[in-house]
Amino acid sequence: MAALFKARKALRLCLSGCRSLSQLAELPETHQILRQTCRDFADRELTPIAAKLDKEHAYPAKQVQELGVMGVMAMEVPEELGGAGMDYLAYSLAVEEISRGCASTGVVVSVNNSLYIGPILKFGTDEQKQQWIQPFTTGEKVGCFALSEPGNGSDAGAASTTARQEGDEWVLNGTKAWITNSWDASATVVFATTDKKLKHKGISAFLIPMPHPGLSLGKKEDKLGIRASSTANIILEDCRIPLGNMLGPRGAGFKIAMQTLDSGRIGIAAQALGIAQASLDCAADYAHKRTAFGAPIGKLQAIQFKLADMAVAIESARLLTWKAAMLRDSKKPFSKEAAMAKLAASEAATFCSHQAIQVLGGMGYVTDMPAERHYRDARITEIYEGTSEIQRLVIAGQLLKEYQL
Amino acid sequence: MSGRVLVGVKRVIDYAVKIRVKPDNSGVVTDGVKHSMNPFCEIAVEEAVKLKEKKLIKEVVAVSCGPQQSQETIRTALAMGADRGIHVEVTGKDYENLGPLQVSKILAALAKKEDAQLVILGKQAIDDDCNQTGQMTAALLDWPQGTFASEVALEADKIKVVREIDGGLETIKVNTPAVLTADLRLNTPRYATLPNIMKAKKKKIANVKPADLGVDLTSRLEVLRVEEPPQRQAGVKVETVDDLVGKLKEAGRI
């Protein structure tokens, strides 16, 4: 019996290794169906309303619920907890296709999956998983992730939000900034320092339901892009939560945040890919239809070179994203690849959306065409969940280790 | 009653694709072109799955006739909730010449073989727009048919079907077993949920050849030529109603 199990395990490991290389060339059938399903959903339910959502800064509640029913809001979560039980490669495909339709919806999906559910799934107790994950799989409730503060974004270790123990409660004080989903969330993962002297090793993670006494929201930021997703400060004033609301061990907060962001990067890379792809689609379609100098502009080399450069940028970033996802799925180290993917994809998004406007000319500058919205949506991908500068630091750090410098 | 429903699903060029005619006018370009399940077949699958969820029928079997790629279409039906699939392998010239007559013979044979209580099809396919397969299948089986269904209700031993006809809506009752064809407003097909996409992997798709069913695939039709529709001509503005009537008479329209 034991020998049978060992043989099966060996076979599975071997197959998964073989599969991962060919997966880069052609996705497995389930993933193809998943990708097509998400694409159909995006084409039919998101693309037609994306401009309106952007204009009205309107949270896509109905669409998020429908995505919940499909299982997209909790893709990695096991079925027993109400999730889809799929892998990160599937997740990156889903986020890309959703973002291609509407980048704001894409970030709502990504934050809920990677930044809110992610750390609870990895570091939470069984009880915490039941309480804080299960209700957030259906699309009715979404969560958010509160790490950044007005005083520190990239410098996450300098958290000034405090948590002190008072009897059987934690009392939190401080302000968190730039929190995606804040106005639409029903819970948040918050990072606060329990021991300022220990610097980043004194930070711990906490779970707070929303709304909650002592927790209030700042004004909704009026952003350049991804306007259908809400971004605001979270203000904690003597916010009291039970001791059981600490996530993971005391002092492990920084580690939890960094590991969570590693995975979150794959989600944001996927979102950036969606925006980039939508830009390329828009530009290619226009190049086919717009005539100038007696022929469709797609016949001109200048335009063709732009489209080719866009396609190369997207495909290379996509392969990096898939590789990072597959490494994570095989439980191998993936920080470097995830940072590379996020860096490449976000720069591809800004490049492609910029070039798409150029291809569209004057039409690219007006709201009649989606190119301007892609341009505005793309910009944030180089900033949140780790700026491009931070990504370069992460990559260099790993690289230097490899070269033993 | 077996409680088994056969649903036909056809792999067609995706509705959003710009169709191009082959340079030799023998057909349309299909190589490398995106294909998906015929939208009316999606509605048929959805109806069958809904009947199963209401526990009015026991098993949904998705059938597709075509080359290897038709299996993808069957898998999509499985992901939507069908229980198993049957892939009737038709390739090459046979596939090029496959039409409603051949498909209805196959479906009739399968309906008998699988002891189906109901056959649900899309009212027509968006590539050939024939709107014949459902009707032919019913005739071959000598079963009643409820076509252009916008509402289906299973009663004790009959099925109430509301049909969309030119004059409005017609309600009929048919005995079972029967053939139904789905019209646009019958339902809104669901998006496959991710758990169901995973489960679909494990569901069985049986492989069958038309010869095994005793079906002769010879076509009675020959495609002579396929052309683009004529380019739309510019219109003409007229000054008065008399001018308009004059022009219409000239063109032989009135």
Side-chain angles (χ1 to χ4, degrees), chain A residues 136-160:
Chain A
F136 291 77
T137 59
T138 61
E140 277 167 34
K141 293 191 181 184
V142 296
C144 59
F145 178 86
L147 175 65
S148 291
E149 297 175 354
N152 47 270
S154 294
D155 191 7
S160 63

Side-chain angles (χ1 to χ4, degrees), chain A residues 29 36 45 69-70 75, chain B residues 34 75 191-194 198:
Chain A
E29 201 180 21
Q36 191 56 53
E45 312 290 337
V69 167
M70 284 165 70
M75 288 192 66
Chain B
K34 183 176 172 211
R75 281 262 177 250
Y191 292 102
T193 64
L194 274 45
M198 296 288 279

Side-chain angles (χ1 to χ4, degrees), chain A residues 29-30 33-34 36-37 39-41 44-45 69-72 75 79 83-86 285 288, chain B residues 14-15 18 34-36 42 71-72 75-76 79 189 191-195 197-201:
Chain A
E29 201 180 21
T30 31
I33 296 182
L34 160 72
Q36 191 56 53
T37 306
R39 185 172 297 191
D40 288 341
F41 182 86
R44 296 175 203 167
E45 312 290 337
V69 167
M70 284 165 70
V72 172
M75 288 192 66
E79 279 191 66
M86 295 191 97
D285 185 62
H288 177 73
Chain B
D14 186 81
Y15 75 92
K18 291 184 185 70
K34 183 176 172 211
H35 284 65
S36 40
E42 278 182 15
Q71 291 201 14
E72 288 162 25
R75 281 262 177 250
T76 308
Y191 292 102
T193 64
L194 274 45
I197 293 175
M198 296 288 279
K199 287 191 190 119
K201 238 191 335 193

